[in-house]
Amino acid sequence: MTDLVLNETRDGVSVLTLNRPEKLNALNYALIDRLLAVLDDIEVDGSVRAVILTGAGERAFSAGGDIHEFSASVAHGTDVALRDFVMRGQRLTARLEAFRKPIIAAVNGIAFGGGCEITEAVPLAVASDRALFAKPEINLAMPPTFGGTQRLPRLAGRKRALELLLTGATFSAERAAELGLVNKIVPHAELMPAAHDLARRIVTHSPAALASILTAVARGINLGIAEGLLVEAEQFARMAPTADLREGLGAWIERRRPSYDGSWAHITRPDEARRASLRLDQPVGQAKASR
């Protein structure tokens, strides 16, 4: 049986490939469930520091939900369609949005419907110059259901989002970048190298700090500024006692590259904490001599 989500990990980066190229990587229920399961495994795998998500084949990132499967659920009634399609899709995009490791969408072609909603949900996205986007659900006499009516207006602004949502018009990678859906556009042949380059520049940093930033942004973006600042302070408080923060501060003071252990390890022994604090308080030359 063909694996619906291919997973190749190298140098701390997992490349996940939606693997239904004959169906333009349409998001059927089995593919969504498999992607969620793979994300669960990656979340607890300390060897994986970042994720790149792309589509198999040359034509599509994902053409969206599997309409034939969805139609069968609708035929069984509203409750079934909500459970099988809407809640499943919203669970996926919420998982991508709140994931505590960086996810980069490498949009290699068509990103319609659910494929566009995945792009909206992930923290970062690089698009091929061949990429094409659309919110075509209006053509089926329905609203988007994987979060598109909520995330797109937050990214693009209410009026610009509504133009796309109410017309179903396709739009280019350049327009997607203008609207804030993607970070950059590259020639098609350079898409995966560009995504890997972005991942490499990210994974040199503390995994715990990356998780703190992702969490602070995901939780705070829809709050008022006062509540958002509390989220930010909370995430700093989690980092304050970690070995990674001690290492980052020490490396900066000593003018060397930091070496993070990739965990949320805390300094728990008082004598170790005192030695670390003293080292950080020393002048650079003296700190080096005491190591």
Side-chain angles (χ1 to χ4, degrees), residues 193-209:
H196 277 285
D197 177 67
L198 179 56
R200 280 192 297 270
R201 290 189 284 126
I202 290 169
V203 300
T204 60
H205 300 294
S206 158

Side-chain angles (χ1 to χ4, degrees), residues 5 37 39 106 130 154 233 236 242 250 287:
V5 178
L39 290 171
R130 298 182 190 173
R154 286 167 167 79
F236 168 76
T242 63

Side-chain angles (χ1 to χ4, degrees), residues 37-70:
V38 172
L39 290 171
D40 286 345
D41 291 340
I42 286 173
E43 187 173 45
V44 297
D45 185 345
S47 69
V48 177
R49 308 281 292 276
V51 177
I52 295 172
L53 180 62
T54 193
E58 289 296 314
R59 297 179 61 194
F61 176 70
S62 174
D66 188 307
I67 301 303
H68 293 288
E69 191 174 48
F70 169 55

Side-chain angles (χ1 to χ4, degrees), residues 228-245:
L229 289 172
L230 290 175
V231 172
E232 183 175 273
E234 174 191 282
Q235 290 305 307
F236 168 76
R238 292 196 68 197
M239 285 300 302
T242 63
D244 273 8
L245 180 56

Side-chain angles (χ1 to χ4, degrees), residues 15 52 54 106 186 188-197:
V15 177
I52 295 172
T54 193
V186 297
H188 186 74
E190 298 175 18
L191 177 64
M192 294 309 292
H196 277 285
D197 177 67

Side-chain angles (χ1 to χ4, degrees), residues 62-284:
S62 174
D66 188 307
I67 301 303
H68 293 288
E69 191 174 48
F70 169 55
S71 296
S73 293
V74 171
H76 284 91
T78 302
D79 289 344
V80 172
L82 282 170
R83 181 197 65 199
D84 290 353
F85 184 69
V86 178
M87 294 300 103
R88 183 181 261 111
Q90 290 186 359
R91 190 159 60 246
L92 172 62
T93 52
R95 186 81 168 104
L96 294 168
E97 186 174 51
F99 203 64
R100 286 176 62 80
K101 296 181 181 183
I103 300 178
I104 302 165
V107 185
N108 56 305
I110 290 170
F112 290 177
C116 191
E117 285 165 310
I118 286 175
T119 309
E120 295 160 17
V122 296
L124 299 162
V126 180
S128 158
D129 55 6
R130 298 182 190 173
L132 194 63
F133 299 82
K135 311 294 295 184
E137 292 87 350
I138 190 66
N139 297 318
L140 302 175
M142 59 179 276
T145 56
F146 291 5
T149 63
Q150 302 306 303
R151 291 190 180 92
L152 186 61
R154 286 167 167 79
L155 286 167
R158 175 171 170 262
K159 286 182 169 59
R160 293 191 294 183
L162 279 169
E163 180 184 352
L164 299 172
L165 292 164
L166 297 177
T167 65
T170 59
F171 55 101
S172 67
E174 288 77 11
R175 181 65 169 156
E178 178 189 336
L179 296 173
L181 268 69
V182 301
N183 295 85
K184 65 185 298 186
I185 306 161
V186 297
H188 186 74
E190 298 175 18
L191 177 64
M192 294 309 292
H196 277 285
D197 177 67
L198 179 56
R200 280 192 297 270
R201 290 189 284 126
I202 290 169
V203 300
T204 60
H205 300 294
S206 158
L210 294 173
S212 292
I213 291 169
L214 288 165
T215 299
V217 172
R219 287 177 53 191
I221 197 167
N222 297 319
L223 299 175
I225 186 65
E227 293 84 358
L229 289 172
L230 290 175
V231 172
E232 183 175 273
E234 174 191 282
Q235 290 305 307
F236 168 76
R238 292 196 68 197
M239 285 300 302
T242 63
D244 273 8
L245 180 56
R246 294 286 182 181
E247 171 63 12
L249 292 171
W252 188 90
I253 289 170
E254 298 166 14
R255 301 296 187 265
R256 59 175 174 81
R257 293 178 65 87
S259 178
Y260 300 113
D261 67 6
S263 74
W264 285 90
H266 287 54
I267 297 175
T268 55
R269 295 192 296 275
D271 58 338
E272 185 177 339
R274 280 194 297 273
R275 285 197 301 272
S277 295
L278 288 171
R279 186 166 66 246
L280 292 178
D281 290 339
Q282 291 171 354
V284 173

